[in-house]
Amino acid sequence: GAAVDQKRWTLNDFDIGKPLGRGKFGHVYLAREKRSNHIVALKVLFKNQLKQSQVEHQLRREVEIQSHLRHPNILRLYGYFYDQKRVYLILEYAAKGELYKELQKCKYFSERRAATYVASLARALIYCHGKHVIHRDIKPENLLVGAQGELKIADFGWSVHTFNRRRTMCGTLDYLPPEMVESVEHDANVDIWSLGILCYEFLYGVPPFEAKEHSDTYRRIIQVDLKFPSRPVVSSAAKDLITQQMLVKDSSQRLPLKKLLEHPWIVQNADPSG
Ligand SMILES: Cn1ncc2ncnc(NCCc3cnc(NC(=O)Nc4cccc(C(F)(F)F)c4)s3)c21
């Protein structure tokens, strides 16, 4: 609630629990806010690393953007605080952890599970785009799973408000659409491309343009050099959605997210509760 946002937090307000994961800039811990017993995730970032990488402005933008986003499939950022050496992000705790670990464990997802996740992501992105926010870094590492198995998009460290579309390269290459790889102007349609990459990866266990060398991935993206392995067997409805509607080079020809939710493959396979 409002109280959570305005209060000046300090580390003393929390009991720190087990580590949940480690990122490039710091670790994430399970934590409990002492007064409310509210369980949260606490991401600890080291100021000197943020300074070295000149990303402080991105962090401020993330906190600003996230403070206005409220959606069941978007991980909440409740607030932040800092001390001498560190910045702390107070985050919603996703009890079932990182989606990519689940994907590694079961190699690939069923069409029902993949469609359910894609529909949840589409609803979250429709909500973000409605607020002129594009995430730009939709990949399994940024997807978490809540206690009821629901998907949560996390880490808006690369998100921007669409009025200032930036051209910097961001995140891993695998999920970037041609217009970002060619670093031309880009808009909310970049997230539809990334959702197409994710849909492919949910169904096959690997992203479609994966290659040993960056230069090969780059070329495969630009050429939309898409191949479907013969195993696992995937319905033609799913393949049509990916090839005809999402991984389309001309960003204006990609299926609008609202239409995606009406696509037969989604309607027939996605669990409506998300
Ligand atoms: C692993 N795990 N398991 C359960 C669980 N529950 C909740 N959270 C978890 N993990 C944390 C997920 C994150 C959410 N938001 C983030 N935001 C961020 O990391 N931002 C950020 C960092 C460094 C630099 C920049 C900058 F400056 F470049 F912008 C921005 S990380 C969990």
Side-chain angles (χ1 to χ4, degrees):
V4 170
D5 303 346
Q6 262 64 48
K7 184 177 179 338
R8 303 279 338 131
W9 296 104
T10 73
L11 202 48
N12 283 335
D13 293 316
F14 300 91
D15 290 319
I16 307 299
K18 65 175 180 176
L20 292 171
R22 52 211 65 214
K24 187 164 153 238
F25 289 83
H27 296 174
V28 191
Y29 298 90
L30 192 58
R32 181 179 51 219
E33 200 277 315
K34 290 172 181 169
R35 232 177 308 287
S36 64
N37 277 334
H38 191 163
I39 298 291
V40 295
L42 209 57
K43 175 137 190 185
V44 184
L45 304 167
F46 287 93
K47 282 184 177 177
N48 58 14
Q49 277 188 6
L50 294 171
K51 219 178 291 302
Q52 267 162 16
S53 315
Q54 288 134 25
V55 290
E56 296 100 318
H57 66 284
Q58 268 180 246
L59 190 56
R60 262 191 284 281
R61 184 171 54 223
E62 171 181 5
V63 173
E64 161 62 25
I65 285 177
Q66 275 270 44
S67 60
H68 296 97
L69 298 180
R70 299 277 190 285
H71 188 277
N73 298 114
I74 295 177
L75 193 84
R76 282 291 311 281
L77 192 159
Y78 297 121
Y80 72 102
F81 57 95
Y82 46 84
D83 59 22
Q84 198 63 27
K85 292 208 287 289
R86 289 166 288 255
V87 177
Y88 303 84
L89 301 180
I90 309 168
L91 299 160
E92 174 187 358
Y93 170 53
K96 289 201 168 143
E98 297 168 289
L99 185 71
Y100 86 90
K101 285 189 177 160
E102 179 64 21
L103 185 54
Q104 277 173 347
K105 204 167 71 179
C106 50
K107 261 174 71 50
Y108 47 81
F109 295 143
S110 70
E111 297 206 31
R112 295 186 62 73
R113 187 167 183 182
T116 301
Y117 285 155
V118 168
S120 304
L121 286 166
R123 286 195 295 273
L125 291 172
I126 289 166
Y127 172 81
C128 288
H129 295 170
K131 293 192 169 253
H132 310 295
V133 171
I134 44 179
H135 187 281
R136 297 197 315 169
D137 197 12
I138 306 285
K139 58 186 179 189
E141 288 76 5
N142 289 342
L143 301 178
L144 297 169
V145 186
Q148 275 73 41
E150 75 280 20
L151 201 73
K152 305 249 178 199
I153 301 180
D155 196 346
F156 281 68
W158 293 100
S159 56
V160 286
H161 276 110
T162 37
F163 53 80
N164 65 343
R165 288 172 297 197
R166 294 157 43 81
R167 302 158 183 263
T168 49
M169 293 297 284
C170 58
T172 166
L173 215 54
D174 278 313
Y175 301 82
L176 293 185
E179 64 270 23
M180 281 188 84
V181 170
E182 290 169 321
S183 97
V184 298
E185 277 297 288
H186 57 272
D187 58 17
N189 292 332
V190 301
D191 285 339
I192 301 167
W193 173 280
S194 304
L195 193 49
I197 299 288
L198 259 183
C199 184
Y200 181 104
E201 182 164 5
F202 287 160
L203 293 167
Y204 292 99
V206 289
F209 305 120
E210 200 171 50
K212 264 187 314 305
E213 302 300 325
H214 251 193
S215 53
D216 297 330
T217 305
Y218 177 101
R219 188 170 27 76
R220 295 194 63 198
I221 292 170
I222 304 288
Q223 291 169 355
V224 193
D225 167 25
L226 196 55
K227 298 185 189 83
F228 289 106
S230 50
R231 287 276 170 276
V233 175
V234 169
S235 67
S236 49
K239 287 187 252 191
D240 288 348
L241 175 63
I242 294 170
T243 48
Q244 311 303 323
Q245 313 287 353
M246 300 179 88
L247 298 187
V248 176
K249 178 149 183 157
D250 178 350
S251 69
S252 66
Q253 297 306 307
R254 290 171 202 156
L255 187 68
L257 285 166
K258 286 187 176 52
K259 291 267 185 293
L260 174 71
L261 291 175
E262 296 154 14
H263 188 277
W265 182 68
I266 294 286
V267 171
Q268 282 146 31
N269 289 284
D271 170 351
S273 71

